[in-house]
Amino acid sequence: MSNVFNPLGQLLGMPVTDWQGATRPTPEVRGGRFCRLEPLNPSVHAKDLYAAFSLDSEGRNWTYLPYGPFESFEDFTSWLIGCGQDQDVLFFAIINLESNTPVGIASYLRISPEQGSIEVGHLNFSPLMQRTPIATEAMWLMMKEAFALGFRRYEWKCNALNRASRRAAQRLGLSFEGVFRQAAVVKGHNRDTAWYAAIDCDWPAINDALTHWLSPDNFDAQGRQRVSLSSLTRPLLVAVG
């Protein structure tokens, strides 16, 4: 469906008929083959998460986040408790099914059911899940849930200097949409913010690519991928950057 003109000859966007809005995500467990997402609970997850994040001894994971690294377990736990008090953000602990322990954090934020837009963020993948299928499957579970709830737009934003995050967004099939210059001041430094997104009409092809990559047939006996995810998703990107 394309854009239309009104009776004044002015160009309008394409019609969105019978739009009822999306359904707000709820704090429920979401499971896959390699991991499950559990609503973040400091009393349950804090100890193992702190241990997992402490494996990042240089604090690289925290460089582009507006908080952390934390000097003590108590400081980290206080931060986790605060996460649960933000009504606009829904945090999840990412659980490794093999060890049954939390190895990372992810969240939904800027949740706008009335506009059909939702963002994934507050991503912190400990060394225990980096470069493993857990990282990809966790993001697939988040994206799949968002589109199943009727959201039209799924966003990923990161510091424009965070090349790893930018590559990850595009590897997952989210298209580059531009950079907002001087979007924020974070830890005393300027932050330009890079925007990536997938929309509902993108999702079927992205889902097929992610499902194909995550399937058991795509891994050999040593757990090595046969086909890279980037080779499956790059043709789907509207723009790269």
Side-chain angles (χ1 to χ4, degrees), residues 7 45 57 74 108 129 150 195-197:
H45 301 127
S57 59
E74 289 72 24
Y108 291 125
M129 67 175 288
W195 287 53
Y196 297 85

Side-chain angles (χ1 to χ4, degrees), residues 62-142:
W62 304 99
T63 298
Y64 297 111
L65 291 170
Y67 40 76
F70 299 96
E71 305 237 345
S72 68
F73 174 69
E74 289 72 24
D75 289 343
F76 177 69
T77 302
S78 294
W79 174 74
L80 287 185
I81 293 171
C83 291
Q85 296 173 348
D86 189 337
Q87 299 301 308
D88 188 47
V89 185
L90 182 56
F91 277 87
F92 293 92
I94 302 168
I95 311 299
N96 180 341
L97 290 183
E98 185 175 357
S99 64
N100 200 37
T101 57
V103 292
I105 289 175
S107 78
Y108 291 125
L109 67 158
R110 302 187 189 279
I111 304 167
S112 179
E114 64 278 6
Q115 298 299 329
S117 177
I118 193 169
E119 182 179 344
V120 63
H122 295 287
L123 303 178
N124 196 333
F125 298 169
S126 80
L128 295 175
M129 67 175 288
Q130 292 170 7
R131 298 180 179 84
T132 74
I134 295 172
T136 299
E137 187 177 63
M139 294 297 91
W140 172 66
L141 290 171
M142 298 281 287

Side-chain angles (χ1 to χ4, degrees), residues 25-63:
T26 55
E28 298 176 1
V29 175
R30 292 146 172 90
R33 189 163 70 94
F34 301 100
C35 72
R36 69 177 179 271
L37 306 176
E38 293 181 357
L40 185 61
N41 184 337
S43 64
V44 174
H45 301 127
K47 182 178 179 180
D48 288 327
L49 279 174
Y50 187 72
F53 291 143
S54 294
L55 297 174
D56 170 29
S57 59
E58 296 179 317
R60 289 179 176 269
N61 281 10
W62 304 99
T63 298

